[in-house]
């Protein structure tokens, strides 16, 4: 099969590779759409030791089953493969399974390829009226779905009376904002430094989009009930610490930098809750997919599409900051 292979820092090559071979409990999926994630970018830059070269990256996938009794069924793929028997899995928190695997990380190759092997329990059927591109957004948007759900359990007020701030207008940040909007959040701010992306994000929902580099353009400090940090660098954590009001909640999704930024003294004195959130549960993924299918998360018309062969150029342009779309989808 053909695949886009990560071969070393800032190096990707189209190659002929051995065909994906599904195990007994797995399906063979022909990949029709697969998104470029921030974690793919970290690997591409050589910043992720969990993804050593050579490796097929990509985990935000949708396509069609091409082998077995379900042949022809269109599906979106939950890339987290859990054991199913540990305490976390039994409790419905498979994202915390100590033996979890994810496609695009050894021993599982990713979805920047024509075909993918995935356990049958990891797919959700896609209705005919939903495109594979929209279906592939289930994975990044499930991160926001899970994050907002965690925050709702902690907030001492309803979302309808809450001021919310999302740091980062990429697919995960925009997805979180769309989830907040679908659940009736009272006010939603989105901070995004890319001017082209700000324009796209502004049209995706009823949001107050601003450039955080412009003084006075965002909400007042200490005025936000819920902050979603979808970037996860020192600067955004500092912004989150300053933005949250006393008793507020910060939900941290991004993994840009490992340390720095949090104002621990203020968070302690003002009882600001910090929640680290990792991906989503299987239920979150299914619920997000069905919200996409039902149209509850908007038109989802903000992704850029490119052929898989254009992958090397797409990665280079994203790294250079020349891509304004919140999500780039590759089409094998």
């Amino acid at each position: 099969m053909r695949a886009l292979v990560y071969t070393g820092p800032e190096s990707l090559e189209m190659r002929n590779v051995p065909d994906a071979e599904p195990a007994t409990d797995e399906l063979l999926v022909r990949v029709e759409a697969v998104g470029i994630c921030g974690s793919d970018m970290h690997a591409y830059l050589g910043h992720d030791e969990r993804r050593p070269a050579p490796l097929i990256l990509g985990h935000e996938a949708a396509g069609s089953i091409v082998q077995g009794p379900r042949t022809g069924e269109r599906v979106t793929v939950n890339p987290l493969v859990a054991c199913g028997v540990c305490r976390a899995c039994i409790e419905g928190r498979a994202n915390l399974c100590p033996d979890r695997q994810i496609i695009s990380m050894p021993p599982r190759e990713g979805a920047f390829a024509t075909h993918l092997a995935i356990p049958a329990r990891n797919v959700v059927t896609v209705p005919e009226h939903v495109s594979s591109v929209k279906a592939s957004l289930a994975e990044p948007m499930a991160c926001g779905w899970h994050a907002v759900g965690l925050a709702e359990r902690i907030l001492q007020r309803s979302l309808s009376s809450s001021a919310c701030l999302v740091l980062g207008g990429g697919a995960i940040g925009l997805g979180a904002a769309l989830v907040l909007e679908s659940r009736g959040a009272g006010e939603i701010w989105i901070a995004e430094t890319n001017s082209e992306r700000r324009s796209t994000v502004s049209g995706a929902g009823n949001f107050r989009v601003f450039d955080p580099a412009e003084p006075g353009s965002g909400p007042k400090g200490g005025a936000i009930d819920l902050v979603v940090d979808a970037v996860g660098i020192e600067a955004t954590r500092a912004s989150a610490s300053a933005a949250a009001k006393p008793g507020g909640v910060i939900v941290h999704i991004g993994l840009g930098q490992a340390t720095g930024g949090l104002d621990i003294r203020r968070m302690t004195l003002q009882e600001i809750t910090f929640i680290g959130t990792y991906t989503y549960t299987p239920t979150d993924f299914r619920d997000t997919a069905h919200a996409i299918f039902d149209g509850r998360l908007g038109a989802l018309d903000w992704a850029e599409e490119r052929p898989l062969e254009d992958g090397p150029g797409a990665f280079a342009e994203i790294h250079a900051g020349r891509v304004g779309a919140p999500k780039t989808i590759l089409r094998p």
Side-chain angles (χ1 to χ4, degrees):
M1 67 179 185
R2 293 287 286 168
L4 181 66
V5 181
Y6 164 61
T7 56
E10 300 187 41
S11 178
L12 295 162
E13 297 177 6
M14 286 298 301
R15 290 183 175 180
N16 291 315
V17 301
D19 291 340
E21 295 186 5
T24 303
D25 63 341
E26 294 185 341
L27 304 169
L28 184 65
V29 174
R30 181 181 67 241
V31 180
E32 296 168 357
V34 52
I36 298 176
C37 177
S39 63
D40 296 317
M41 289 302 302
H42 291 315
Y44 167 74
L45 297 172
H47 295 166
D48 190 347
E49 69 280 357
R50 303 173 303 167
R51 291 178 166 93
L55 182 68
I56 303 172
L57 301 173
H59 60 269
E60 303 174 355
S64 298
I65 299 170
V66 293
Q67 183 174 301
R70 297 171 67 181
T71 294
E73 186 176 323
R74 300 177 62 242
V75 295
T76 184
V77 174
N78 178 347
L80 288 171
V81 182
C83 74
V85 297
C86 71
R87 179 174 178 176
C89 288
I90 292 171
E91 292 176 346
R93 305 177 75 188
N95 60 317
L96 301 180
C97 171
D99 296 318
R100 67 180 181 259
Q101 299 174 349
I102 184 169
I103 62 173
S104 80
M105 192 181 300
R108 291 187 174 271
E109 297 281 7
F112 289 151
T114 55
H115 294 82
L116 170 72
I118 192 75
R121 65 182 181 274
N122 279 66
V123 302
V124 175
T125 302
V126 176
E128 285 304 314
H129 72 275
V130 177
S131 71
S132 292
V133 167
K134 289 184 180 180
S136 71
L137 295 173
E139 198 284 332
M141 297 192 72
C143 295
W145 187 280
H146 180 66
V148 171
L150 291 176
E152 281 188 290
R153 298 173 203 169
I154 302 298
L155 279 171
Q156 297 293 310
R157 62 177 64 210
S158 67
L159 277 178
S160 62
S161 61
S162 297
C164 304
L165 168 63
V166 177
L167 302 175
I172 290 179
L174 177 53
L178 289 167
V179 171
L180 287 167
E181 183 178 43
S182 74
R183 298 187 187 179
E187 182 179 58
I188 305 169
W189 296 78
I190 302 179
E192 173 56 52
T193 58
N194 184 303
S195 60
E196 185 176 346
R197 183 171 291 176
R198 282 199 303 275
S199 177
T200 301
V201 170
S202 295
N206 186 23
F207 310 133
R208 303 179 69 174
V209 184
F210 67 99
D211 182 357
E214 185 178 330
S217 61
K220 294 181 179 180
I224 299 296
D225 297 287
L226 169 59
V227 183
V228 178
D229 186 349
V231 181
I233 60 175
E234 182 174 354
T236 55
R237 284 189 287 269
S239 296
S241 297
K245 67 170 51 174
V249 176
I250 298 170
V251 185
H252 192 270
I253 308 177
L255 289 171
Q257 290 177 317
T259 59
L262 288 178
D263 184 343
I264 298 299
R265 180 176 178 81
R266 180 170 190 270
M267 292 174 64
T268 301
L269 295 175
Q270 302 293 344
E271 291 194 355
I272 295 167
T273 301
F274 179 92
I275 305 174
T277 170
Y278 179 71
T279 61
Y280 37 77
T281 68
T283 298
D284 290 325
F285 186 89
R286 288 192 297 271
D287 289 348
T288 304
H290 287 292
I292 289 173
F293 304 158
D294 296 343
R296 283 176 279 152
L297 298 179
L300 303 180
D301 55 0
W302 33 261
E304 171 192 69
E305 300 177 39
R306 300 193 187 196
L308 183 64
E309 290 77 6
D310 289 353
F315 270 79
E317 289 178 29
I318 292 171
H319 178 48
R322 297 197 300 269
V323 175
K327 176 61 63 178
T328 297
I329 303 287
L330 300 181
R331 303 293 301 269

